[in-house]
Amino acid sequence: MANLKSFGACLRESTFQFPRPSRTDNYKRINVKWRSPQAAVIPNFHLPMRSLEVKNRTSAEDIKALRLITAIKTPYLPDGRFDLEAYDDLVNMQIENGAEGVIVGGTTGEGQLMSWDEHIMLIGHTVNCFGGSVKVIGNTGSNSTREAIHATEQGFAVGMHAALHINPYYGKTSLEGLVSHFDSVLPMGPTIIYNVPSRTGQDIPPRVINTVAQSPNLAGIKECVGNDRIGQYTGNGIVVWSGNDDQCHDARWSHGATGVISVTSNMIPGLMRELMFGGKNPSLNAKLLPLIEWLFQEPNPIGLNTALAQLGVMRPVFRLPYVPLPLAKRVEFVNLVKEIGRENFVGEKDVKVLDDDDFVLVGRY
């Protein structure tokens, strides 16, 4: 096994150089020689591969080609358990309307409210049911490198096509720590790194991305900082998906983004596909912006949960601490659906305004 070793590659931002840890670093260490777990540093080293992992093995190049990836919502039963029937219907509607990938257990899917057993089960379920029709990208990131390694091993073992990894949040680390964290999971398989400083409290700067981009398993970046950053990456040949639905049209057609990892596509996958595949369409973009603005007036996924319940595609069940939008906002959503056209939204039931008493809030599940 190769140890961490020094290298002379510069981070390609100005003249700043950011070397990896070296054997000769003069840090005081408790142990004479420190080694990462083997699965984190040996390319293509995994837990014993199961049939699904072999069958669904995907290259980073396959992931790089995806234009529309939906950050899929996780519906619940009244007792707070997963409603897999509603989940399967929602994923099916994504596939039928042109989504090419789904993020399972991301922020939108409320992975932060799941146990790891639930998380890996849902990834495996999605692979079993839909892995031949859509790319399944499991959110196996964590602010603990140990947890990220273990969850990513499990995710690939149950057949996911790629992993989504966030930078360590709350207990933030240094830039060197960011590189070491990502280097610990990149060798396992195709990976999308997710940069959303509004949630993590720390930006992943380009010099970190330029360093880890040396890995052939880096499929690209889900970038939420803005289109100027996206243009900086795409100008250097790094694949980027916009993480902001309100900016994704311009990101795609004016800043070189490959596509979008979208929340809004849970509701209108066909229109979001048109936005990503149909060329510049400022009129369609302008038509959708009021809906997108409505969706994100409170932290995601509060708006989406409320909307999908009113569309009748999932039960109005919320795992706390999420609660539905207030009545006035629920009325606004019904009017937006009518303006855009009910036929453009998922589901077949009439959209309706739900009363406060219709919602179930679950604190223990």
Side-chain angles (χ1 to χ4, degrees), residues 212-278:
V212 299
Q214 297 172 63
S215 170
N217 280 335
L218 182 67
I221 314 301
K222 177 184 177 183
E223 183 57 74
C224 295
V225 165
N227 287 342
D228 289 342
R229 175 74 63 84
I230 288 175
Q232 183 177 354
Y233 285 140
T234 58
N236 291 328
I238 296 174
V239 169
V240 187
W241 293 271
S242 175
N244 300 325
D245 284 350
D246 59 339
Q247 299 177 358
C248 70
H249 172 269
D250 292 346
R252 172 79 174 98
W253 302 110
S254 300
H255 297 272
T258 292
V260 64
I261 296 178
S262 175
V263 176
T264 310
S265 57
N266 277 277
M267 298 185 294
I268 49 170
L271 292 180
M272 292 303 294
R273 179 181 172 87
E274 185 176 346
L275 210 60
M276 291 296 100
F277 281 82

Side-chain angles (χ1 to χ4, degrees), residues 138-151:
N139 172 31
T140 55
S142 173
N143 59 349
S144 162
T145 304
R146 180 188 67 173
E147 284 191 7
I149 290 170
H150 184 58

Side-chain angles (χ1 to χ4, degrees), residues 68-345:
L68 176 59
I69 302 172
T70 297
I72 198 74
K73 160 65 184 165
T74 308
Y76 304 115
L77 296 169
D79 61 2
R81 291 178 298 130
F82 294 161
D83 185 346
L84 292 179
E85 182 178 358
Y87 177 82
D88 290 352
D89 287 344
L90 185 58
V91 176
N92 261 320
M93 286 184 276
Q94 298 300 310
I95 295 170
E96 291 172 356
N97 287 280
E100 301 169 298
V102 290
I103 303 288
V104 178
T107 305
T108 304
E110 300 180 19
Q112 63 275 15
L113 304 186
M114 297 178 189
S115 69
W116 278 116
D117 287 343
E118 288 180 312
H119 211 129
I120 300 303
M121 181 280 287
L122 191 60
I123 293 172
H125 171 84
T126 310
V127 171
N128 289 336
C129 295
F130 307 104
S133 303
V134 69
K135 295 301 182 187
V136 178
I137 303 162
N139 172 31
T140 55
S142 173
N143 59 349
S144 162
T145 304
R146 180 188 67 173
E147 284 191 7
I149 290 170
H150 184 58
T152 304
E153 285 178 334
Q154 290 185 315
F156 280 119
V158 299
M160 71 181 184
H161 300 105
L164 180 73
H165 279 284
I166 202 164
N167 52 307
Y169 49 88
Y170 185 69
K172 297 179 287 186
T173 185
S174 63
L175 299 187
E176 292 90 344
L178 289 179
V179 172
S180 294
H181 178 80
F182 293 130
D183 278 348
S184 295
V185 292
L186 275 164
M188 297 182 194
T191 299
I192 297 173
I193 290 177
Y194 181 17
N195 186 34
V196 54
S198 63
R199 288 188 179 271
T200 64
Q202 182 181 37
D203 181 31
I204 306 174
R207 55 184 177 270
V208 170
I209 297 300
N210 290 337
T211 299
V212 299
Q214 297 172 63
S215 170
N217 280 335
L218 182 67
I221 314 301
K222 177 184 177 183
E223 183 57 74
C224 295
V225 165
N227 287 342
D228 289 342
R229 175 74 63 84
I230 288 175
Q232 183 177 354
Y233 285 140
T234 58
N236 291 328
I238 296 174
V239 169
V240 187
W241 293 271
S242 175
N244 300 325
D245 284 350
D246 59 339
Q247 299 177 358
C248 70
H249 172 269
D250 292 346
R252 172 79 174 98
W253 302 110
S254 300
H255 297 272
T258 292
V260 64
I261 296 178
S262 175
V263 176
T264 310
S265 57
N266 277 277
M267 298 185 294
I268 49 170
L271 292 180
M272 292 303 294
R273 179 181 172 87
E274 185 176 346
L275 210 60
M276 291 296 100
F277 281 82
K280 283 189 175 182
N281 194 337
S283 61
L284 176 59
N285 188 51
K287 182 179 180 180
L288 299 182
L289 280 178
L291 174 65
I292 295 170
E293 291 170 359
W294 178 91
L295 190 62
F296 292 99
Q297 60 192 304
E298 293 288 353
N300 181 50
I302 293 171
L304 180 65
N305 293 356
T306 305
L308 291 178
Q310 296 202 148
L311 288 168
V313 298
M314 58 168 266
R315 291 176 170 87
V317 179
F318 283 64
R319 282 186 173 184
L320 290 170
Y322 299 123
V323 297
L325 291 175
L327 180 60
K329 297 299 181 181
R330 302 200 294 266
V331 172
E332 281 183 24
F333 175 71
V334 171
N335 293 331
L336 285 167
V337 172
K338 292 176 180 178
E339 291 174 11
I340 296 172
R342 177 63 182 90
E343 68 278 5
N344 293 307
F345 287 76

Side-chain angles (χ1 to χ4, degrees), residues 56-67 69 100-101 135 137 161-162 190 192 216 219 239 241 258:
N56 292 322
R57 202 70 179 147
T58 301
S59 72
E61 296 303 315
D62 294 328
I63 303 301
K64 290 178 180 180
L66 306 179
R67 299 288 185 265
I69 302 172
E100 301 169 298
K135 295 301 182 187
I137 303 162
H161 300 105
I192 297 173
V239 169
W241 293 271
T258 292

